[in-house]
Amino acid sequence: MSIYLYELKKLCGIRIIFIFLCFMAVKLATTYFYYPPEYEFSKDFYREYTDTLFGEHTAEKEQYILGEQARLEDILSRKEETESAYIRDEITLEEYIDFNTEYIRAENQLSAFNKIYEKYEYFLTVEDKGPQYFYDLDVIEYLGEYGADVLLLLFLIIFGLRFWDYDRLCGMSLSVISTPLGRIKRDNIKCAALITMTVISSLLSFIPDIISFCMRCGGEMLNMPLCSMAEFGCCGYQLSVLGYMLLVLLVRTVWAVSMCVLLCLIYKLIINMYAGVALSAAVILLPVMAGYGLPPELRTVLIGSQLTGFSVLETSIPCSMLTAVIITAAMYGIIILAAKKKRI
């Protein structure tokens, strides 16, 4: 236990903690430089509709949507008739101006209403899941970007491999532990310390995620059902927005730990920190880059894809993780065999 605590203390030095906090601060600072995207419809009118309809879909809200559709169609269909009536002096100038004002507003409302109507039609297909109307544009944008924590992965790769180089650079390991059994025990303890730091770092990295979400979308949006957004309707689990983020965090943490084990094996194979960083990045990133054209069932069993959390939406998590464990274990086995041959 004392060796384990010593290794953990090396990992949790003041400099490393400071750098980790800087990474998380950079991650949080990106919220201040976020620029909302432009939409083809008016966000103000869309917000008005969602505020009016806020909550679960009901028969009264269905009547409102159908009535609003009829109202807009009626206004837009009367333009030529009203112009003709004004030319024939059948209506006054004030009435004509009032109609034009109403017509322009209806034109601007129509694109936003079409978005609401699409949501209404989608809600009819998932009515049993209890979808709710709310202003979801910011939430959709945030969750669309939510996945792999690049800064956390960079931190784990660099400092994970730097941790393995620490003793060698200090000239300590060979002088302290000379027997093969002792070195194996030491390596296992170092790996356990690295995994502990990975889990803690992954959990702490979730704090900026929550803060960033609340700043962009509002804390009350965390309780909204994920099925309310058609973009995430393919998720097979009935989750809230917070539940989805936690599930992505779980998948991300599990595979971040797997990545750290892989880093340990890569380092033992090549004993070079810089080559280890390059090889680790290749192992993690290449499957993602090559997997865009693959079906979800294949794409989500690659370690790089698992780190993004996309498997939460695209496949059954138990099946994809079980398959991914088998594939990753096979990768570990190949590296171990290669390392043994190198030693022989």
Side-chain angles (χ1 to χ4, degrees), residues 47 54 132 134-135 139 213-225 240-242:
R47 186 184 289 274
F54 185 82
Q132 295 185 31
F134 64 96
Y135 184 74
V139 179
F213 180 89
C214 292
M215 291 172 62
R216 282 173 56 170
C217 311
E220 67 278 3
M221 295 296 117
L222 289 170
N223 296 322
M224 294 295 107
S240 65
V241 171
L242 177 60

Side-chain angles (χ1 to χ4, degrees), residues 18-39:
F18 176 75
I19 294 174
F20 174 79
L21 292 177
C22 287
F23 275 31
M24 295 301 103
V26 169
K27 178 181 175 182
L28 185 58
T30 56
T31 302
Y32 292 100
F33 300 99
Y34 167 71
Y35 297 98
E38 296 295 328
Y39 294 93

Side-chain angles (χ1 to χ4, degrees), residues 40-90:
E40 295 179 353
F41 53 87
S42 168
K43 293 191 290 185
D44 292 334
F45 282 126
Y46 184 77
R47 186 184 289 274
E48 286 182 14
Y49 280 125
T50 53
D51 288 346
T52 301
L53 295 166
F54 185 82
E56 292 189 11
H57 180 70
T58 61
E60 291 77 11
K61 291 176 183 177
E62 181 175 1
Q63 290 178 0
Y64 170 81
I65 291 173
L66 297 178
E68 184 69 4
Q69 182 186 39
R71 184 184 74 83
L72 293 175
E73 289 177 352
D74 176 64
I75 294 173
L76 296 176
S77 67
R78 288 191 290 114
K79 181 174 178 59
E80 292 183 4
E81 177 186 344
T82 305
E83 288 179 346
S84 299
Y86 175 67
I87 292 172
R88 294 193 301 269
D89 290 332
E90 294 178 0

Side-chain angles (χ1 to χ4, degrees), residues 252-268:
R252 205 163 62 181
T253 302
V254 168
W255 291 102
V257 170
S258 298
M259 183 196 72
C260 282
V261 176
L262 185 60
L263 292 180
C264 297
L265 293 173
I266 289 174
Y267 179 79
K268 295 302 292 180

Side-chain angles (χ1 to χ4, degrees), residues 72 83 101 118 120 154 156 190 296 339:
L72 293 175
E83 288 179 346
T101 302
E118 289 175 10
Y120 156 70
L154 183 64
L156 295 176
K190 288 171 73 71

Side-chain angles (χ1 to χ4, degrees), residues 271-296:
I271 319 294
N272 184 288
M273 181 181 68
Y274 301 105
V277 170
L279 186 56
S280 301
V283 169
I284 294 165
L285 297 179
L286 286 180
V288 179
M289 296 171 63
Y292 285 120
L294 297 175

Side-chain angles (χ1 to χ4, degrees), residues 37-200:
E38 296 295 328
Y39 294 93
E40 295 179 353
F41 53 87
S42 168
K43 293 191 290 185
D44 292 334
F45 282 126
Y46 184 77
R47 186 184 289 274
E48 286 182 14
Y49 280 125
T50 53
D51 288 346
T52 301
L53 295 166
F54 185 82
E56 292 189 11
H57 180 70
T58 61
E60 291 77 11
K61 291 176 183 177
E62 181 175 1
Q63 290 178 0
Y64 170 81
I65 291 173
L66 297 178
E68 184 69 4
Q69 182 186 39
R71 184 184 74 83
L72 293 175
E73 289 177 352
D74 176 64
I75 294 173
L76 296 176
S77 67
R78 288 191 290 114
K79 181 174 178 59
E80 292 183 4
E81 177 186 344
T82 305
E83 288 179 346
S84 299
Y86 175 67
I87 292 172
R88 294 193 301 269
D89 290 332
E90 294 178 0
I91 60 174
T92 64
L93 176 61
E94 290 76 11
E95 290 175 325
Y96 181 66
I97 292 174
D98 289 342
F99 173 80
N100 276 335
T101 302
E102 188 178 20
Y103 180 85
I104 293 172
R105 179 179 173 84
E107 266 192 329
N108 293 329
Q109 282 181 307
L110 183 61
S111 56
F113 176 78
N114 287 338
K115 181 70 176 175
I116 291 293
Y117 194 82
E118 289 175 10
K119 187 176 290 292
Y120 156 70
E121 290 183 318
Y122 165 70
F123 277 14
L124 295 180
T125 66
V126 292
E127 200 167 4
D128 56 323
K129 294 183 179 180
Q132 295 185 31
Y133 293 99
F134 64 96
Y135 184 74
D136 54 3
L137 298 183
D138 295 334
V139 179
I140 292 171
E141 282 297 318
Y142 186 90
L143 294 185
E145 301 166 358
Y146 192 68
D149 190 335
V150 178
L151 291 176
L152 175 64
L153 295 179
L154 183 64
F155 174 81
L156 295 176
I157 290 174
I158 294 176
F159 289 95
L161 291 172
R162 183 65 180 80
F163 170 65
W164 280 95
D165 251 12
Y166 181 87
D167 286 342
R168 184 179 66 82
L169 293 175
C170 294
M172 295 172 57
S173 62
L174 293 178
S175 60
V176 175
I177 301 176
S178 58
T179 64
L181 187 61
R183 285 196 292 269
I184 291 174
K185 182 179 179 181
R186 178 209 59 186
D187 290 346
N188 290 339
I189 292 174
K190 288 171 73 71
C191 187
L194 184 58
I195 289 173
T196 301
M197 187 206 70
T198 300
V199 173
I200 294 174

